[in-house]
Amino acid sequence: MNWTKHSRILDNNEVTWAWQAMWAPAVLRKDDKYYFFFGANDIQSNDELGGIGVAVADRPEGPYKDLLGKPLVDKIVNGAQPIDQFVFRDDDGSYYMYYGGWKHCNMVKLSDDFTELVPFDDGEIYKEVTPENYVEGPFMFKKNGKYYFIWSEGGWTGPDYAVAYAIADSPFGPFERVAKILEQDEEIARGAGHHSVIHVPNTDEYYIIYHRRPINETARDYRVTCIEKMEFDENGHILPIKMTHEGVPARLIR
């Protein structure tokens, strides 16, 4: 209900190799530290400096310090621009990072201290896991033993931006597209995408947080952050999510 804004939690005076932009943060807590993964510089080729970086802090609001002094992923591999990273912790304690723009998604395994990429059992470093219609914005969560992989489709500047998902038995997929679950509503907003999911511990309550462009706005960078309830049918499929102006009732999470 009430939010406190903490400005400049990560500054490019700290991340000296980031010169153009830092965006799409993914933050996780581990061993009483907070790790902030971000994309930087919007590189268009492997001749440019940039990619996915990592910063660390003692508190979620920072200030964050650059963990590596360089990008963790600094190359375009399998056609995936190194942006839109999300780090997922599996039940066995493994940390996987899913990332990628330009209609390609890779997964990598992270070392326990998040300072490097660890080869998979077959020796590969990067595995492409791109599902049908994928564009960017990957997100993963696990529910009842199944892996739910969610991504953004369409163009983020246009009305066709939307969210779709797949369900798999493994964090490696294969991720076969099930359906689109969130898209424009001509009465409310367009450009719904780049989402996150909150699960209230020890409940079956799930919420999706996403951004959208209000129906009367046309500027590509005009986006607002919204929240809706995420519900499932008896087979575990995600039900279509309807945009609202109200969002969800207040819910204290202890």
Side-chain angles (χ1 to χ4, degrees):
M1 296 284 295
N2 301 295
W3 299 83
T4 299
K5 181 177 180 177
H6 299 273
S7 298
R8 305 189 76 85
I9 65 172
L10 178 62
D11 194 293
N12 64 351
N13 289 324
E14 171 59 34
V15 185
T16 56
W17 54 271
W19 61 272
Q20 179 179 348
M22 293 186 286
W23 79 101
V27 182
L28 63 85
R29 180 186 177 189
K30 182 177 185 294
D31 299 332
D32 294 324
K33 296 283 187 180
Y34 293 84
Y35 293 87
F36 185 109
F37 294 79
F38 58 93
N41 295 355
D42 193 23
I43 64 172
Q44 304 295 304
S45 76
N46 286 339
D47 297 326
E48 301 174 61
L49 175 63
I52 296 170
V54 192
V56 63
D58 295 323
R59 301 184 304 275
E61 68 271 26
Y64 286 86
K65 301 295 183 183
D66 191 357
L67 182 64
L68 303 176
K70 61 180 181 179
L72 176 65
V73 177
D74 64 351
K75 294 289 187 289
I76 298 163
V77 180
N78 298 326
Q81 187 190 29
I83 63 168
D84 286 7
Q85 62 297 316
F86 173 71
V87 179
F88 169 74
R89 181 188 184 277
D90 208 351
D91 294 339
D92 64 358
S94 298
Y95 287 89
Y96 302 111
M97 184 169 71
Y98 299 84
Y99 76 90
W102 295 353
K103 301 183 179 182
H104 292 275
C105 183
N106 289 335
M107 70 177 295
V108 294
K109 187 174 183 179
L110 302 179
S111 63
D112 200 50
D113 59 3
F114 303 146
T115 61
E116 59 183 348
L117 308 182
V118 177
F120 294 107
D121 291 343
D122 60 6
E124 288 188 343
I125 300 290
Y126 300 87
K127 287 185 180 292
E128 184 168 4
V129 293
T130 309
E132 178 188 4
N133 290 356
Y134 174 93
V135 172
E136 59 192 9
F139 188 91
M140 172 76 79
F141 69 93
K142 193 172 183 180
K143 181 179 186 292
N144 296 335
K146 298 289 186 180
Y147 294 84
Y148 287 74
F149 187 63
I150 318 179
W151 63 89
S152 295
E153 301 182 346
W156 70 270
T157 61
D160 61 337
Y161 208 45
V163 179
Y165 80 106
I167 303 175
D169 295 321
S170 160
F172 301 95
F175 299 116
E176 296 185 7
R177 185 181 185 275
V178 176
K180 188 183 293 184
I181 54 171
L182 180 63
E183 58 186 324
Q184 69 171 348
D185 183 326
E186 287 292 352
E187 295 182 356
I188 296 180
R190 303 185 182 98
H194 210 144
H195 46 281
S196 184
V197 175
I198 288 177
H199 174 222
V200 182
N202 303 313
T203 75
D204 201 34
E205 292 183 60
Y206 288 80
Y207 299 90
I208 185 169
I209 295 89
Y210 64 99
H211 63 58
R212 69 194 191 197
R213 189 172 293 106
I215 207 71
N216 58 344
E217 298 292 344
T218 57
R220 68 168 201 163
D221 293 327
Y222 192 106
R223 290 175 287 176
V224 294
T225 305
C226 303
I227 182 170
E228 311 289 357
K229 189 83 178 284
M230 176 182 278
E231 298 182 296
F232 303 80
D233 68 16
E234 63 275 11
N235 297 314
H237 292 145
I238 302 174
L239 297 176
I241 298 162
K242 180 173 174 51
M243 289 185 188
T244 67
H245 289 301
E246 295 78 20
V248 299
R251 173 71 160 86
L252 183 63
I253 300 176
R254 297 189 183 279

